[in-house]
Amino acid sequence: MAEENTADTASAWVRINSVDGFSYLVQRNVALGSGTLKGMLSTDSNFMEATNNTCSLQERGAVVEKAVEYLAYKAQYANAPQSVDIPDFTERIPPELALELLMAADFLEM
Amino acid sequence: MSAIKLRKPKIKPPRKLGADTAIEETWKLFSEAVREIFNHRASNLSYEENYRYAYNLVLYKNGHVLYDGLRGLITENLDKLAKKDIVPAFPATGNADPVQQSQEGERLLNALRDVWEDHSQGMSRIRDLVKYMDKNYTVTAKVLPIWDAGVQLFLQRIIRSPAYNICSHIINCILTQIHIERDGYTITRSSMKGCVDILLQIVDIDNGLSVYKTDLEPRVLQESKAFFEAECERLLEVCDAPEYLRRAEAHLASEAARTQNYLSYDTHAPLQRIVEDYLLRAQFHTIMAMPSSGIDNMIDTDKIEDLARLYRLFKIVPTEMPVLKKALKNSIAARGKTVNDASGEGEGGGEDEEEPQEVQGKGKGKERARPAKAGREQSAAVASKWVQDVLDLQDLFDRVLKLAFGNEVELQTAINEAFESFINLNPKAPEFISIFMDENLKKGLKGKSDEEVEVLLDKTIGVFRFITEKDVFERYYKTHLAKRLLNGRSISDDAERGMLAKLKVECGFQFTQKLEGMFHDMKLSAETMAAYKESVTRPSIDISVQVLTSTFWPMTHGVTPCTFSAEMNQAITSFERYYLSRHSGRRLTWQAAMGSADVRATFKARKHDLNVSTYALVVLLLFENVDEGGFLTYDEIKLATSIEDVELRRTLQSLACAKFKVLKKHPPSREVAQTDSFSFNNDFTAPLQRIKIGTVASRAENDDQRKETMERVDEERKHQTDACIVRVMKDRKRMTHNDLINEATAQLAKRFQPNPAQIKKRIEALIEREYLDRGEDKKSYIYLA
């Protein structure tokens, strides 16, 4: 997860924009944790998002940020061995964001 | 969702879409995007946007609008493609040039492939966009996921297009391509593979079978049948057997390559089966019987490679292996018959030679007397030739089996069976083998290394193994061995013992027991003689005695009447006294017919040492007391020696009519008659000091002798059968008739081929002698201890 000032455009990174103008640079493999983002970035289908390496979501910044945070969390622990203690992500979700995040998660397929 | 709302009132409600107009609007936007996708302009579209349209349509319970709409759009696109791309690629009819035909076909196949690729590319994008629908709508609505729906639409609109006959064009095109390739032209296999792969992928949802399976494969197989039926006829006409097999193998390989390269692997088996059926299974008989190139010819001309190919092809259709086995058997049987016939003819000649001797033996004495030697050697030669022929034949087939047939056990068995049957067809086989061994042990092994001896003996044993009447062989072998031992004709003691060991391995301890006894007797005799000579000072005659245990040796053991001279009797008595003093309770019978003697005779020219049989010695000694030029009549000689007519005649013949005429016969002729008289031939000359005058009976037997041998063998078999039955019954106490017969047959088969009637007779004899009793059920026997 990176803020918008990080100006790294290598293909290992993709940009995710929120509807209210926030922009997040995310490692590609982290972004691929979402089925929808994966579809957008698929070079086979080659939609506009794949050409520009940029995904614009119809969500506000706070939700996108939490979603991206979750994707990073997922990428980090997805293949973790059983011995590693995995922290509970639910504690990091602010209650006021929960519903919106739930809907975004459904949309993003993650 | 409502639960969450209740718990957190300050949460913002989710954005909602507008009314029904919003649905229509959304679909319109989405359908435009789909059209764009089919027109290859996806990179201008936002995935997020269109995904959201589809997502919303499904989310707000309008999945059917999306799904049905998509189907319509896909159908529209496919119809367009069929018309635009495929129909123009239909091959023009009536083009005969295979190269051009193949190119046209390729065009159609490529067109189909392009359309399919077009379709799949679009479909894969659409699938990505409507992922949410596939996950949430299609399952509950019980419809196909969009990709599969697309495949079904492709099947309906392209392959089975109601407007154009695309399917049959494609299938025909593929068949033509295969045919062109079979005719030896090159086709573009990648186009074929591309097209076949599509047909394999398109599975009809109704029956779960791919178009390949339902439409293409049956046609391919049908065409192949027709092709190979014709091909087979053509090949049979133009090719000889090896060439046919070569072509058949090539066909198998090319069909295999075909299935591997562009047809489905599932077709491999049925297609191979067709080739096998038409080119191999039905034709093996014909091929192998081809007069100048069939299996016989291949074996004759040592075409190992062709035979190996034949075997490989047979291995492919293992059910046909019996045909190969039968052909091998026939081939061996024919060859064996030639060998047998040749020996029969050769022996016919041999018997002619023997005949005078035999006739003379019966006392008719009218035909010319010929030295026995020629006939004897000839029949030995016939026997040796027969065995050698068999060995050569065996070598040939061993070679074929090893190099061409990979030592296949089944074929080995077949070959062995064939050998066994033709060898046993020759009734003289046991005798011939024994003679062959005799010849080799007597002179053949001279100058051969131990290994060569070993190899030769092993091979002979190999032939021996095929004989069913091993007891007959044993009898002959015993006779021959006895002669070798007594006459000291054996070249190598090691070879003899080696042979014995091999026979022991083959037939067991019982078989060689007596043979070993013979060796043992020889050894004991040598020791006895050494001890005797030490004990006796100055013997009148240098005597050498071999004491033989009568049961071990094959001679007839009746007392052979022969009046020995006084000196001889003295020596005999001396030995008897010595021997009986050491072994009380034994009886010695003197076998004059077996012995030989060295005697020094004084002729006018010089003295000669004659090596003669004991009979001849006794006869010669008579002449010691006859004045020079004096005569002795046949009757006088017989009276003085009391030798039996047959033996006496033979002895006189060998002394007076053979190569060395020590006696003169009056009147001179080749035969000896009862009216003849004899005188000592004082004028006898010979270049050598030492002369051997042999009277050896013919070794290949004449018919009477053979009959006698067989009678003895039969007698022996009766005893063996008795012993066997008693052994079995002693063990089992009670057995049914059939079980007993089977068991006895199995046990006796090692020695000869017993026949059930014979066994039954022996059982009856045993019941008479109260070894056995019939059971109450009339079916079984009880052993009486």
Side-chain angles (χ1 to χ4, degrees):
Chain A
M1 178 176 30
E3 287 298 323
E4 54 190 306
N5 52 7
T6 314
D8 192 345
T9 52
S11 63
W13 298 85
V14 294
R15 184 181 296 277
I16 298 174
N17 295 329
S18 73
V19 75
D20 49 359
F22 289 95
S23 185
Y24 303 87
L25 270 181
V26 183
Q27 267 186 315
R28 177 178 288 272
N29 66 325
V30 170
L32 294 186
S34 146
T36 309
L37 288 177
K38 194 176 173 184
M40 289 184 201
L41 296 169
S42 158
T43 44
D44 286 343
S45 308
N46 214 16
F47 282 98
M48 207 165 69
E49 285 89 344
T51 341
N52 302 337
N53 249 349
T54 305
C55 306
S56 298
L57 300 179
Q58 299 297 311
E59 305 284 351
R60 58 191 182 99
V63 177
V64 173
E65 185 178 329
K66 198 44 85 178
V68 167
E69 186 186 339
Y70 173 72
L71 284 174
Y73 162 87
K74 184 174 167 187
Q76 186 182 351
Y77 294 109
N79 293 315
Q82 282 201 320
S83 55
V84 174
D85 224 7
I86 301 176
D88 192 359
F89 192 79
T90 47
E91 286 167 13
R92 297 202 229 161
I93 301 173
E96 63 280 9
L97 219 56
L99 181 58
E100 258 184 297
L101 192 59
L102 178 66
M103 305 222 8
D106 184 50
F107 181 81
L108 287 172
E109 220 187 306
M110 54 183 228
Chain B
M1 212 178 268
S2 58
I4 298 171
K5 261 185 210 165
L6 286 174
R7 208 182 63 200
K8 293 282 173 190
K10 71 183 202 187
I11 289 172
K12 275 168 64 177
R15 295 182 309 275
K16 272 209 169 169
L17 243 66
D20 283 352
T21 49
I23 299 288
E24 271 166 36
E25 186 69 13
T26 311
W27 166 245
K28 207 166 150 259
L29 288 168
F30 188 75
S31 63
E32 264 156 31
V34 170
R35 286 210 178 83
E36 283 297 285
I37 286 172
F38 279 134
N39 288 328
H40 311 284
R41 287 197 285 266
S43 56
N44 299 333
L45 299 170
S46 159
Y47 180 92
E48 194 274 340
E49 199 177 308
N50 290 297
Y51 179 83
R52 191 148 37 80
Y53 294 152
Y55 178 80
N56 285 339
L57 282 171
V58 176
L59 198 63
Y60 295 105
K61 312 284 182 214
N62 282 295
H64 61 280
V65 175
L66 178 61
Y67 191 80
D68 296 344
L70 269 176
R71 280 180 57 101
L73 288 172
I74 293 165
T75 309
E76 187 183 296
N77 181 54
L78 287 173
D79 285 349
K80 191 187 80 194
L81 287 173
K83 193 170 171 194
K84 184 169 77 74
D85 292 341
I86 294 186
V87 174
F90 281 172
T93 45
N95 205 328
D97 178 30
V99 177
Q100 210 165 338
Q101 248 186 327
S102 144
Q103 279 170 356
E104 282 183 4
E106 201 184 316
R107 203 151 66 87
L108 175 61
L109 298 179
N110 285 342
L112 180 76
R113 191 192 56 201
D114 291 347
V115 167
W116 170 256
E117 265 173 23
D118 211 43
H119 170 76
S120 352
Q121 221 169 43
M123 285 309 294
S124 105
R125 290 202 171 108
I126 291 168
R127 180 175 54 181
D128 279 354
L129 284 182
V130 299
K131 218 189 290 176
Y132 193 78
M133 175 190 79
D134 269 349
K135 218 165 73 181
N136 293 303
Y137 170 74
T138 53
V139 181
T140 46
K142 295 201 170 62
V143 290
L144 288 175
I146 198 64
W147 174 269
D148 295 338
V151 170
Q152 291 308 307
L153 287 171
F154 190 87
L155 175 66
Q156 287 159 20
R157 308 309 299 181
I158 299 279
I159 303 289
R160 307 216 167 112
S161 161
Y164 320 101
N165 200 0
I166 295 176
C167 184
S168 79
H169 270 292
I170 296 279
I171 302 279
N172 283 336
C173 176
I174 290 174
L175 292 176
T176 316
Q177 296 285 65
I178 292 177
H179 199 85
I180 289 170
E181 197 187 37
R182 276 185 185 142
D183 282 345
Y185 297 92
T186 321
I187 60 165
T188 315
R189 288 180 160 184
S190 60
S191 318
M192 291 286 277
K193 179 161 176 53
C195 188
V196 168
D197 278 350
I198 295 168
L199 299 185
L200 272 170
Q201 279 176 54
I202 301 176
V203 174
D204 193 335
I205 195 75
D206 294 335
N207 52 17
L209 293 174
S210 64
V211 176
Y212 178 88
K213 209 70 187 165
T214 53
D215 294 52
L216 181 58
E217 191 177 40
R219 292 290 304 281
V220 168
L221 295 180
Q222 191 190 337
E223 283 285 306
S224 302
K225 268 183 198 158
F227 175 81
F228 283 111
E229 203 171 359
E231 178 73 359
C232 165
E233 263 175 41
R234 193 178 68 83
L235 288 181
L236 281 179
E237 239 167 62
V238 299
C239 300
D240 60 1
E243 182 61 23
Y244 182 96
L245 295 171
R246 247 195 299 283
R247 300 272 187 97
E249 197 174 48
H251 271 304
L252 278 172
S254 68
E255 293 307 316
R258 191 156 292 133
T259 46
Q260 200 173 14
N261 284 321
Y262 55 80
L263 292 179
S264 156
Y265 185 75
D266 289 344
T267 316
H268 178 83
L271 195 53
Q272 291 286 310
R273 172 97 193 168
I274 287 172
V275 185
E276 286 160 17
D277 277 348
Y278 284 95
L279 291 189
L280 300 181
R281 202 163 281 138
Q283 303 307 332
F284 269 139
H285 267 299
T286 326
I287 301 162
M288 292 211 286
M290 283 189 175
S292 55
S293 63
I295 187 167
D296 268 332
N297 186 271
M298 290 188 213
I299 293 171
D300 282 341
T301 49
D302 200 30
K303 287 192 174 142
I304 293 297
E305 209 181 302
D306 290 331
L307 287 164
R309 176 171 301 114
L310 179 71
Y311 172 65
R312 277 203 299 278
L313 293 175
F314 263 112
K315 256 198 116 72
I316 294 173
V317 278
T319 48
E320 294 302 295
M321 208 49 116
V323 176
L324 178 57
K325 281 205 275 190
K326 194 145 172 278
L328 274 177
K329 276 183 172 178
N330 286 344
S331 176
I332 294 172
R335 283 156 209 269
K337 193 167 180 305
T338 318
V339 171
N340 280 347
D341 287 352
S343 91
E345 277 166 30
E347 207 178 38
E351 269 166 357
D352 281 346
E353 304 271 328
E354 284 170 19
E355 210 160 358
Q357 197 190 346
E358 183 196 333
V359 169
Q360 185 204 11
K362 283 176 193 157
K364 286 174 189 159
K366 278 169 199 159
E367 287 181 42
R368 72 220 143 94
R370 286 271 300 270
K373 230 179 162 190
R376 181 172 46 96
E377 276 191 352
Q378 185 162 354
S379 47
V382 167
S384 299
K385 184 172 179 313
W386 182 83
V387 177
Q388 194 56 54
D389 284 349
V390 172
L391 287 181
D392 290 347
L393 201 55
Q394 214 183 8
D395 279 350
L396 174 66
F397 277 91
D398 274 352
R399 196 175 124 76
V400 169
L401 180 72
K402 189 163 154 237
L403 298 180
F405 296 161
N407 279 332
E408 166 85 36
V409 177
E410 218 180 331
L411 294 177
Q412 166 105 61
T413 319
I415 289 175
N416 286 350
E417 278 169 12
F419 268 98
E420 189 175 326
S421 79
F422 96 75
I423 285 173
N424 285 306
L425 270 184
N426 184 353
K428 290 175 186 161
E431 184 185 355
F432 281 176
I433 293 169
S434 178
I435 290 177
F436 181 79
M437 289 176 178
D438 187 43
E439 288 289 310
N440 275 305
L441 289 167
K442 254 165 44 179
K443 51 191 172 199
L445 299 178
K446 233 181 239 170
K448 283 186 184 163
S449 70
D450 284 357
E451 286 84 23
E452 284 170 319
V453 172
E454 191 74 14
V455 168
L456 189 75
L457 292 183
D458 270 344
K459 280 186 183 169
T460 321
I461 283 289
V463 179
F464 163 73
R465 214 171 281 154
F466 293 130
I467 296 180
T468 45
E469 299 187 314
K470 295 200 168 54
D471 53 342
V472 178
F473 169 85
E474 187 200 354
R475 186 154 285 279
Y476 284 113
Y477 190 81
K478 224 153 104 176
T479 313
H480 292 143
L481 175 65
K483 277 182 189 151
R484 285 203 297 278
L485 288 177
L486 291 181
N487 299 339
R489 301 281 301 272
S490 199
I491 286 200
S492 149
D493 203 40
D494 283 348
E496 287 283 2
R497 288 188 181 278
M499 197 70 210
L500 202 58
K502 286 185 207 312
L503 288 173
K504 196 169 179 176
V505 171
E506 283 302 314
C507 303
F509 167 71
Q510 236 190 333
F511 191 86
T512 53
Q513 198 178 17
K514 288 182 176 173
L515 302 178
E516 274 171 4
M518 287 161 76
F519 278 102
H520 190 63
D521 277 352
M522 292 308 287
K523 205 176 115 212
L524 272 188
S525 295
E527 283 164 12
T528 311
M529 276 325 290
Y532 170 68
K533 275 178 184 153
E534 258 172 40
S535 77
V536 177
T537 45
R538 271 202 52 72
S540 56
I541 306 177
D542 196 5
I543 188 174
S544 167
V545 181
Q546 271 132 13
V547 184
L548 315 178
T549 314
S550 61
T551 49
F552 292 160
W553 295 74
M555 293 78 189
T556 29
H557 303 293
V559 179
T560 45
C562 177
T563 315
F564 297 121
S565 71
E567 280 166 314
M568 287 164 77
N569 274 327
Q570 201 185 335
I572 286 170
T573 330
S574 157
F575 179 79
E576 268 183 349
R577 208 181 304 123
Y578 169 79
Y579 186 80
L580 295 177
S581 71
R582 307 189 77 194
H583 307 277
S584 63
R586 295 195 184 176
R587 200 160 60 88
L588 288 176
T589 314
W590 296 86
Q591 300 280 334
M594 299 276 135
S596 68
D598 287 335
V599 59
R600 175 161 295 175
T602 315
F603 299 98
K604 207 182 272 168
R606 58 188 284 195
K607 288 181 177 178
H608 283 286
D609 288 335
L610 306 178
N611 178 266
V612 294
S613 70
T614 311
Y615 285 139
L617 174 69
V618 172
V619 171
L620 280 178
L621 285 176
L622 292 180
F623 286 92
E624 212 175 20
N625 305 323
V626 174
D627 299 333
E628 195 177 321
F631 293 92
L632 285 176
T633 64
Y634 179 90
D635 289 331
E636 280 170 336
I637 296 173
K638 179 162 167 51
L639 196 70
T641 59
S642 59
I643 298 171
E644 281 177 340
D645 271 336
V646 178
E647 292 296 339
L648 181 58
R649 228 182 277 273
R650 189 173 289 171
T651 308
L652 285 171
Q653 193 183 18
S654 63
L655 285 172
C657 309
K659 189 177 167 195
F660 302 111
K661 295 183 174 57
V662 185
L663 296 182
K664 273 185 189 164
K665 191 170 87 73
H666 307 279
S669 74
R670 314 207 80 166
E671 296 293 322
V672 174
Q674 273 187 344
T675 51
D676 287 347
S677 57
F678 300 85
S679 67
F680 187 68
N681 184 6
N682 225 338
D683 304 325
F684 175 80
T685 54
L688 293 171
Q689 162 76 14
R690 218 182 124 80
I691 302 167
K692 185 170 168 67
I693 301 174
T695 36
V696 187
S698 62
R699 274 187 306 138
E701 300 185 309
N702 57 42
D703 288 344
D704 279 356
Q705 285 170 313
R706 179 163 299 117
K707 213 162 111 194
E708 199 186 311
T709 309
M710 281 319 291
E711 271 166 20
R712 263 185 274 154
V713 167
D714 280 343
E715 196 58 38
E716 178 74 12
R717 282 181 186 176
K718 274 185 198 165
H719 293 313
Q720 282 178 13
T721 314
D722 285 354
C724 177
I725 293 169
V726 170
R727 226 174 17 245
V728 171
M729 288 306 292
K730 191 170 184 178
D731 198 29
R732 306 280 183 92
K733 302 295 179 218
R734 186 189 185 98
M735 253 182 135
T736 65
H737 176 75
N738 287 341
D739 285 350
L740 180 56
I741 297 261
N742 287 342
E743 183 63 34
T745 309
Q747 288 196 11
L748 290 170
K750 279 179 228 148
R751 308 264 301 167
F752 59 92
Q753 204 64 54
N755 107 33
Q758 215 86 71
I759 298 178
K760 189 158 175 257
K761 234 182 239 169
R762 295 323 301 162
I763 294 176
E764 274 157 18
L766 285 170
I767 290 172
E768 251 168 52
R769 283 185 280 160
E770 300 192 330
Y771 280 96
L772 305 179
D773 196 6
R774 289 182 203 280
E776 314 81 64
D777 55 358
K778 303 285 176 205
K779 275 183 212 150
S780 54
Y781 302 107
I782 300 163
Y783 178 73
L784 302 176

